[in-house]
Amino acid sequence: MYINNVLIIAKKEFSDLLSNWMMLLVLAVYLIIILVNVFNINNMLVADSAPIIHELFGDSYGAYFASCLFWDLTKFGSIVGVMIGCLSMANERHNNALNALLVKPLFRDTIINGKLLGSIAFMVFIIGATLVFDTSALFLFCGNYLAPFLSDYVSRLIIVFLFAIIYVMFFLALSMLISILVKSQAFAMILGLMALYISEMMNVYEFAWNVSSLFPGDRGYTTNLILSLSPDTMLWSLYLTIFKPSLDFFSALALAIPSIEELLLFIAVACISSYIVFTRRDVT
């Protein structure tokens, strides 16, 4: 019965997100940005800017195209993750559906687990669909360059897809926590986008160095600690390793595991915090 109730709420959450006009608008803009990026990649290749690519990725266009997909799914995908997390709670409050759920004979943990499951399932669906769309666009515009290196491109897709899910999931869970704490939908979205910006800034050494001055102790140690706590630091660390043409799939996966483990820990903290806040305070 408990699992059945969780699945019912998860299905409703998935359906609500899929039919939300704001989410559809964001997804439409997301796909347009991907098309523009692919078109720009094609223009760069036609303009014979290949020496830049060779310098960064050796002779493998496959690694280069996989790196482009990596950024499309993570940096732009994280904005979609923030939207999913915020809309998950905001829609229920706006339609008074959250009150209806809370007065039903359901445990609060059933509701939050169902909403988390539905939101994550929707996010995985969006990332998977975006991966297919992006790859199709690359074949359409850059097929002559991609086809000879298809195996190299495909060998990195699994790692890119897996890390994109985990990276975006962190911002989804964090924005859901913010949306539970903050009842204003607009303010919750602003805070979620600010969290994205702060994550990027924490990866900048000068920013981390300036922030470290606010804390006592060894400033160099504090700076390195701030840098290590940024999801974007993990993102760049992964980017600088897994797209080396000399690496096969298993070598790239081995290098990706530490970053994946760190992000999973961050996700666990955000999800547990959402669970505690939702079950112990008035969220209507």
Side-chain angles (χ1 to χ4, degrees):
M1 178 63 72
Y2 176 82
I3 296 178
N4 187 52
N5 288 335
V6 169
L7 291 177
I8 290 174
I9 295 173
K11 290 177 182 178
K12 178 182 180 300
E13 184 70 20
F14 190 100
S15 176
D16 288 347
L17 288 169
L18 190 60
S19 59
N20 183 277
W21 70 268
M22 191 178 298
M23 178 57 65
L24 294 177
L25 177 61
V26 170
L27 293 177
V29 173
Y30 184 27
L31 295 181
I32 291 173
I33 290 173
I34 288 175
L35 281 177
V36 172
N37 286 345
V38 172
F39 185 73
N40 289 336
I41 291 170
N42 179 66
N43 287 343
M44 185 180 70
L45 294 171
V46 171
D48 198 21
S49 298
I52 301 175
I53 299 173
H54 289 311
E55 182 179 347
L56 295 174
F57 301 96
D59 295 327
S60 176
Y61 279 114
Y64 168 67
F65 287 123
S67 72
C68 296
L69 177 65
F70 177 79
W71 290 117
D72 285 343
L73 294 183
T74 53
K75 298 308 295 181
F76 296 116
S78 60
I79 298 174
V80 177
V82 168
M83 293 295 298
I84 293 173
C86 290
L87 290 174
S88 177
M89 295 302 301
N91 284 341
E92 304 291 0
R93 284 201 181 103
H94 182 265
N95 299 324
N96 292 319
L98 193 56
N99 282 326
L101 284 174
L102 291 173
V103 299
K104 288 183 177 181
L106 292 172
F107 292 110
R108 284 195 172 203
D109 63 334
T110 304
I111 299 173
I112 188 63
N113 287 337
K115 293 186 76 62
L116 276 170
L117 181 61
S119 298
I120 292 172
F122 182 77
M123 179 206 68
V124 172
F125 168 74
I126 293 301
I127 292 178
T130 304
L131 185 150
V132 173
F133 179 83
D134 204 328
T135 301
S136 300
L138 285 171
F139 269 109
L140 181 63
F141 289 99
C142 313
N144 292 336
Y145 299 96
L146 177 57
F149 302 97
L150 184 59
S151 61
D152 196 21
Y153 175 77
V154 172
S155 69
R156 287 167 169 78
L157 281 187
I158 296 176
I159 300 176
V160 170
F161 181 63
L162 177 62
F163 189 82
I165 288 175
I166 296 172
Y167 181 81
V168 175
M169 191 187 301
F170 167 71
F171 289 102
L172 186 158
L174 182 62
S175 61
M176 182 175 284
L177 173 61
I178 292 172
S179 190
I180 293 173
L181 292 169
V182 179
K183 293 185 178 182
S184 169
Q185 176 181 345
F187 189 43
M189 287 186 179
I190 290 172
L191 291 177
L193 294 174
M194 283 182 62
L196 273 175
Y197 177 74
I198 292 172
S199 175
E200 290 186 1
M201 292 304 297
M202 285 174 64
N203 187 44
V204 178
Y205 185 85
E206 289 77 10
F207 176 83
W209 176 259
N210 290 331
V211 173
S212 68
S213 65
L214 302 175
F215 301 94
D218 185 350
R219 195 171 178 183
Y221 173 81
T222 305
T223 299
N224 290 330
L225 179 62
I226 293 171
L227 290 170
S228 67
L229 291 175
S230 169
D232 277 59
T233 301
M234 305 169 201
L235 190 71
W236 275 99
S237 174
L238 194 68
Y239 172 77
L240 294 173
T241 55
I242 67 171
F243 297 111
K244 292 180 179 178
S246 59
L247 294 178
D248 58 20
F249 170 78
F250 293 103
S251 299
L253 181 61
L255 291 172
I257 287 176
S259 297
I260 291 174
E261 289 176 340
E262 287 185 67
L263 270 179
L264 286 174
L265 178 61
F266 286 7
I267 292 169
V269 171
C271 288
I272 292 171
S273 299
S274 297
Y275 183 91
I276 293 173
V277 172
F278 189 86
T279 56
R280 294 183 179 272
R281 63 171 288 177
D282 179 18
V283 295
T284 58

